[in-house]
Amino acid sequence: MKGRITVQLKAGVLDVEGTAIARALGSLGFTASEVRVGRVFEVELGPEVANDPAGAALVLTDMARKLLANPVMERFEVEVLDGASGAA
Amino acid sequence: MRFAVISFPGSNCDDDCVRVVREVLGHDAYKVRHDVHDLDRPDVVLVPGGFSFGDYLRCGAIARFSPVMTDVAAFAGRGGPVVGICNGFQILTEAGLLPGALRRNVCLSFICEDRHVAVEGRSTPLTRGLSGEVLRIPIAHNEGNYCADEETLARLEGDGRVVFRYVAPDGRRSPEANPNGAANDIAGICNERGNVVGLMPHPERCAEPLLGNTDGRRLFDALLAAGADGGSR
């Protein structure tokens, strides 16, 4: 079972990197009123949650809470990916 | 007095801290590896600057899970003075020993230059007797932009727990004096009890005449004075 965790700065937190990227996009002629930068973690999970999407989601959430996201400034989303099809 | 300086893989100011304590102050300092559980009865714990674990994930995010950090937390819990400098400050926030977080500088670049900070707020082992002083201390960081939610900021301010603030050389606050976008111009804070202090500037880099600036030594002297009064733990 595979999982994906996406971590981003919280909505109220100024994303200085995103702001710089939005400006760069603008200089290329694109219209991007806001860009938020995030990080994606793809995790191959262990056998204990094989065929257990609910259990996998709990493990991913625990990983995000304990290490991958800093709750002071970041929020996260988890997705459980079915290893066979690659779809959530 | 005995100073334990914690060494993580990627710490690079640990030797500077040891040097200041030994050569400048004439006291005992020794490094403690990240993967041991023995602080060896220090009077002060310094969590030095650098790039622990390559700053992977977030600055300090991996270092906080090092075995030695449980001992640092226990030492802090007993009221022992713990000072986190730069990456050390980041590690202490990730470890939950100090509130808030340090984000990327607003300018998106690494800043390495002298900055002025005002010492204020309540008395801590690091700042005792220095309240109201403006010190010139170098900063060197990419993630020094202190942030916390409004409630936490209000509590820090209300309780006098902002102990270093970026200011102009004359002590006045201004947007230009804030190098990194830190909320309320915060350069350093302490915990509720006042014994854990984190700051972005590097006092160990300006503690001897050879380096052209001894403002940092005043903070180390304050630690010695606090230790002389507080006794060992």
Side-chain angles (χ1 to χ4, degrees):
Chain A
M1 192 79 75
K2 221 172 159 177
R4 185 183 291 144
I5 301 164
T6 307
V7 178
Q8 276 191 302
L9 287 173
K10 282 180 181 169
V13 178
L14 174 68
D15 184 340
V16 284
E17 200 178 349
T19 306
I21 293 167
R23 216 176 297 134
L25 286 170
S27 73
L28 290 174
F30 293 107
T31 304
S33 58
E34 189 182 17
V35 174
R36 308 287 295 176
V37 179
R39 271 190 177 200
V40 176
F41 301 86
E42 284 191 352
V43 184
E44 194 69 58
L45 295 165
E48 65 278 11
V49 291
N51 306 315
D52 178 11
L58 285 177
V59 170
L60 292 166
T61 302
D62 206 26
M63 287 177 174
R65 284 212 179 108
K66 286 190 177 144
L67 178 63
L68 302 180
N70 180 337
V72 173
M73 55 181 174
E74 294 170 329
R75 64 181 181 82
F76 64 86
E77 281 167 25
V78 304
E79 294 167 76
V80 177
L81 311 172
D82 174 14
S85 69
Chain B
M1 271 175 75
R2 289 165 61 77
F3 287 69
V5 180
I6 313 296
S7 267
F8 301 94
S11 294
N12 64 8
C13 300
D14 40 356
D15 285 316
D16 305 55
C17 287
V18 168
R19 180 191 153 81
V20 169
V21 174
R22 281 191 194 153
E23 310 295 326
V24 181
L25 305 180
H27 282 255
D28 190 14
Y30 53 94
K31 294 204 269 184
V32 176
R33 280 180 60 103
H34 63 103
D35 54 357
V36 301
H37 272 302
D38 185 10
L39 291 177
D40 199 13
R41 297 175 296 103
D43 298 300
V44 178
V45 170
L46 299 179
V47 188
F51 303 83
S52 57
F53 294 91
D55 274 354
Y56 292 159
L57 189 60
R58 291 178 309 277
C59 307
I62 297 178
R64 71 162 281 211
F65 291 106
S66 297
V68 74
M69 286 307 293
T70 53
D71 303 82
V72 172
F75 180 77
R78 294 194 296 272
V82 176
V83 177
I85 300 168
C86 196
N87 188 222
F89 184 12
Q90 295 163 341
I91 293 168
L92 295 179
T93 60
E94 285 282 346
L97 291 173
L98 289 172
L102 292 138
R103 290 195 295 134
R104 205 149 166 208
N105 297 342
V106 164
C107 60
L108 291 176
S109 59
F110 189 97
I111 310 170
C112 183
E113 61 191 23
D114 278 359
R115 280 286 170 169
H116 290 84
V117 290
V119 182
E120 55 176 80
R122 55 187 286 190
S123 182
T124 73
L126 186 67
T127 58
R128 230 167 55 139
L130 295 172
S131 189
E133 299 275 345
V134 174
L135 305 177
R136 179 167 60 95
I137 308 183
I139 58 169
H141 60 245
N142 195 47
E143 286 86 5
N145 176 356
Y146 183 81
C147 71
D149 59 48
E150 288 302 322
E151 193 190 324
T152 303
L153 285 174
R155 204 168 59 235
L156 288 173
E157 294 287 359
D159 296 345
R161 288 169 54 192
V162 176
V163 291
F164 296 100
R165 216 187 287 272
Y166 298 110
V167 292
D170 64 2
R172 270 188 289 209
R173 288 174 67 179
S174 76
E176 297 74 38
N178 180 336
N180 52 31
N184 297 11
D185 307 326
I186 289 172
I189 56 169
C190 69
N191 66 346
E192 231 164 279
R193 196 165 168 180
N195 63 311
V196 178
V197 183
L199 72 165
M200 290 313 296
H202 284 273
E204 79 283 9
R205 294 190 186 178
C206 56
E208 48 194 314
L210 183 65
L211 300 177
N213 179 4
T214 54
D215 281 6
R217 172 164 185 173
R218 304 180 69 187
L219 299 174
F220 282 92
D221 283 338
L223 280 174
L224 290 181
D229 281 3
S232 68
R233 279 159 234 276

